[in-house]
Amino acid sequence: MKTLNTTKEALMQNAQQDMQTLIQDSNLTDREKLALTCRILFDKGHDSGLAGQITSRTEKNNTFLTQRFGLGFDEVSAKNLIEVDQDLKPLDEEGMANPANRFHTWIYKEHPEVNCIIHTHPTHIAALSMLEVPLIISQMDTCGLYNDCSFVADWPGVPVGNEEGMLISKALGKNRAVFLAHHGQLVIGKNIEEACNLAILIERAAKLQLLAMAAGEIKPLPHKPAQEAHDWVSTDKRNKVNFAYYARQALKNHTNCI
């Protein structure tokens, strides 16, 4: 074995390089990725009627794609997504966006690196939010959110005003996720793939936390390996590989989504 005495750091670096060279990115458009994300999250338990919004920046200035208000996540397709401006007005003047998309516009304005936002009320996140406790990352699989999730302890009410947009945008800070007491979750990504993966991950983290809290006291992770795990699973290529798997699942489960 040529790698028998290779250091862990070198093996990790080699694996990252192999992912870059051996695994090709998909040729899906952003419209298709966003529609698939809606179907993926529906299958992963993020459905809550008409609550929740998914948006993605477009190549135009200050516009983004989102689902048409009135459609559930399982009804969204690449064709029925709408493009809206910062005032939530559809560019083609058809349909309407969810009014709660207003706080997305604040995040896009204050965080220019963000290209996709997902806000949902999945069951375990919603249940944990009722306890007014922060999300605790204490298991390897959920380390993608280690030191990467803000907590808003005070519920500001229905997030359709500019006040909520300013609050949530500020709370996000440099993190990729916000856990909202009495409400739900919000994650952001430099691309759609990253945001989709984090949305799935935060619901799993909440589920594990509730199970662990019912069994005993949750023990903290040691910082160094937890941060290492966070960085290992948070690369752009890893996000795209994960998303491709979830996309294949969605395409098997749903028709007419792209």
Side-chain angles (χ1 to χ4, degrees), residues 19-53:
M19 275 190 271
Q20 289 292 338
T21 57
L22 300 177
I23 302 178
Q24 301 298 312
D25 292 343
S26 76
N27 57 1
L28 294 168
T29 67
D30 281 354
R31 274 185 172 272
E32 291 169 339
K33 290 176 186 177
L34 204 65
L36 282 167
T37 294
C38 290
R39 304 300 183 104
I40 290 166
L41 294 184
F42 178 85
D43 292 340
K44 300 295 183 182
H46 286 249
D47 174 55
S48 185
L50 300 182
Q53 317 89 39

Side-chain angles (χ1 to χ4, degrees), residues 74-88:
D74 60 322
E75 297 179 303
V76 176
S77 70
K79 293 181 180 179
N80 63 34
L81 286 167
I82 58 175
E83 185 175 351
V84 300
D85 63 19
Q86 287 186 310
D87 295 313
L88 307 185

Side-chain angles (χ1 to χ4, degrees), residues 31 50 54 65-72 75-77 79-83 90 92-98 101:
R31 274 185 172 272
L50 300 182
I54 302 176
L65 293 172
T66 189
Q67 78 267 35
R68 193 182 298 257
F69 186 60
L71 296 181
E75 297 179 303
V76 176
S77 70
K79 293 181 180 179
N80 63 34
L81 286 167
I82 58 175
E83 185 175 351
D92 62 4
E93 299 183 350
E94 290 187 9
M96 67 174 286
N98 189 321
N101 271 329

Side-chain angles (χ1 to χ4, degrees), residues 103-111 117 168-169 172 186:
F103 71 86
H104 291 227
T105 66
W106 277 92
I107 293 173
Y108 285 129
K109 183 171 75 73
E110 300 296 329
H111 299 271
I117 301 169
I168 295 171
S169 178
L172 184 64
L186 178 138

